[in-house]
Amino acid sequence: MPELPEVEIVARSLDKLVKGRSVATAVLRRQRLAPDHTQAQFAKKLKGATINFVHRRGKHILIDLDNGRTLITHLRMSGRFMLLNGDHEDPKFAHAVLYFDDGTRLVFDDQRHFGLMKIVDTERLNEANEIAKLAPEPFSEDFSPDYLREAMRSSNRPIKEFLLDQTKVCGLGNIYAAEALFLSGISPRRRGRSVSGSRTELLHRNIRAVLQEAIDAVGSITPDPVFVGEEIYGGGSERGWRVYDREDEPCPTCSSAIRRIRQGARSTYYCPKCQR
DNA sequence: ACCCTCACCTGCACGC
DNA sequence: TGCGTGCAGGTGAGGG
């Protein structure tokens, strides 16, 4: 479900909600959520830890603990966090639960079972496989126009598929890749290496613009503070996209019908007239 | 090194 | 109503 903006808001909300809470007991209900740990190890590594803060790298949520460890979580398609208390039942797919010493609990619920958790030593966080290969953060200086140009120059794939590769550009998913390409007037089928320098610079700006716009939009519709008992909210599909999920609807710029194609077994939406 | 396909799951919207 | 099909905002493994 989430791309960088949704993950960013979930991380910020979690930081406000669970910072300072202490884990009395941790339960891994579905072992394959955390394939690198046994259920006993998972419980032991979290028991007694207090949450220092919650942040994000790419689409990974990082829960920094005071015992020298970090709990890495990837929501994948359907993962979500909920902060519950004794009045609430667990949701249907509660694959992990952190019981805090104040009677509340943080539940990881995941209908499609794609989500992943892993606990690492915080000082080795950047060496973890999940983190080590990620491209620079889109808002960092390392993600420069030059960086993007270099990465695209060696890519023979359609630019849309390139943008989904988290080792090349991190944080974009199927929605924001399509949106950034639309704003930049670049066809999703075009090979990365064939995009001109000026278009690449425009794309670089628009990647940041769509992500920032979405962070602002998702943030504004996410309750603050988020109350106990609700999903820790990362936005929803009620927002309107420019081209994503708008097959046959008029392009916001030229009114041509927006087209949907398959690329790498996923849908891509674009305007065949505005994007060349 | 790159690129492609499939696999991992449940649920929902759609057409017959 | 029910059943089959295709689709869903993600990625890794395993093949060429």
Side-chain angles (χ1 to χ4, degrees):
Chain A
M1 158 167 111
E3 303 182 28
L4 183 149
E6 294 77 16
V7 176
E8 172 70 23
I9 296 303
V10 170
R12 285 185 198 172
S13 302
L14 271 178
D15 187 63
K16 283 182 204 150
L17 272 178
V18 300
K19 188 203 295 266
R21 295 189 202 244
S22 297
V23 179
T25 316
V27 179
L28 179 61
R29 295 236 175 88
R30 178 177 172 272
Q31 210 276 319
R32 288 180 59 196
L33 168 63
D36 290 1
H37 310 293
T38 65
Q39 286 160 310
Q41 286 166 346
F42 184 87
K44 193 173 164 192
K45 285 170 189 279
L46 295 177
K47 188 181 173 68
T50 297
I51 293 173
N52 280 340
F53 59 97
V54 183
H55 56 136
R56 174 193 67 70
R57 174 77 173 92
K59 300 177 190 172
H60 301 267
I61 292 166
L62 309 174
I63 301 181
D64 185 280
L65 305 164
D66 75 345
N67 64 0
R69 297 191 173 107
T70 297
L71 172 60
I72 306 174
T73 302
H74 199 302
L75 304 173
R76 291 286 182 98
M77 294 290 268
S78 58
R80 57 182 190 155
F81 280 106
M82 305 175 84
L83 184 65
L84 305 181
N85 64 28
D87 295 338
H88 305 106
E89 299 275 314
D90 276 343
K92 187 169 176 186
F93 301 100
H95 296 322
V97 184
L98 308 191
Y99 293 89
F100 296 122
D101 62 5
D102 62 1
T104 63
R105 67 190 190 279
L106 184 66
V107 177
F108 182 76
D109 175 71
D110 186 8
Q111 174 198 110
R112 292 180 72 180
H113 300 202
F114 292 172
L116 289 170
M117 282 188 175
K118 183 174 173 179
I119 302 162
V120 300
D121 289 344
T122 304
E123 59 181 29
R124 293 183 174 279
L125 175 61
N126 291 328
E127 298 163 35
N129 291 340
E130 293 78 1
I131 307 296
K133 291 180 294 184
L134 288 176
E137 278 296 310
F139 294 111
S140 71
E141 284 186 21
D142 287 346
F143 184 71
S144 62
D146 281 347
Y147 165 83
L148 185 61
R149 191 175 308 117
E150 272 308 300
M152 282 168 58
R153 216 172 55 165
S154 58
S155 171
N156 218 14
R157 319 163 68 184
I159 183 70
K160 159 65 165 26
E161 294 180 44
F162 169 87
L163 291 178
L164 295 183
D165 183 340
Q166 303 296 300
T167 69
K168 302 294 191 293
V169 177
C170 92
L172 289 179
N174 212 31
I175 294 177
Y176 301 118
E179 297 289 295
L181 287 172
F182 171 73
L183 285 180
S184 308
I186 300 168
S187 166
R189 330 169 81 120
R190 186 178 274 279
R191 310 277 139 174
R193 63 185 351 151
S194 82
V195 179
S196 73
S198 60
R199 286 278 163 182
T200 302
E201 243 171 77
L202 188 58
L203 177 60
H204 174 268
R205 270 205 303 281
N206 284 325
I207 286 169
R208 286 183 168 172
V210 294
L211 292 175
Q212 187 60 56
E213 174 189 66
I215 289 170
D216 294 342
V218 174
S220 74
I221 56 175
T222 296
D224 180 28
V226 185
F227 299 103
V228 171
E230 295 177 13
E231 175 183 356
I232 311 241
Y233 191 54
S237 54
E238 63 268 31
R239 286 175 299 141
W241 322 110
R242 294 173 178 88
V243 289
Y244 181 79
D245 201 24
R246 289 194 179 278
E247 184 180 19
D248 293 334
E249 292 181 40
C251 165
T253 302
C254 75
S255 299
S256 303
I258 290 164
R259 188 172 293 169
R260 175 165 75 131
I261 58 173
R262 300 295 289 178
Q263 289 185 296
R266 313 199 65 193
S267 290
T268 297
Y269 299 85
Y270 73 109
C271 172
K273 189 170 166 204
C274 296
Q275 297 176 249
R276 300 293 181 154

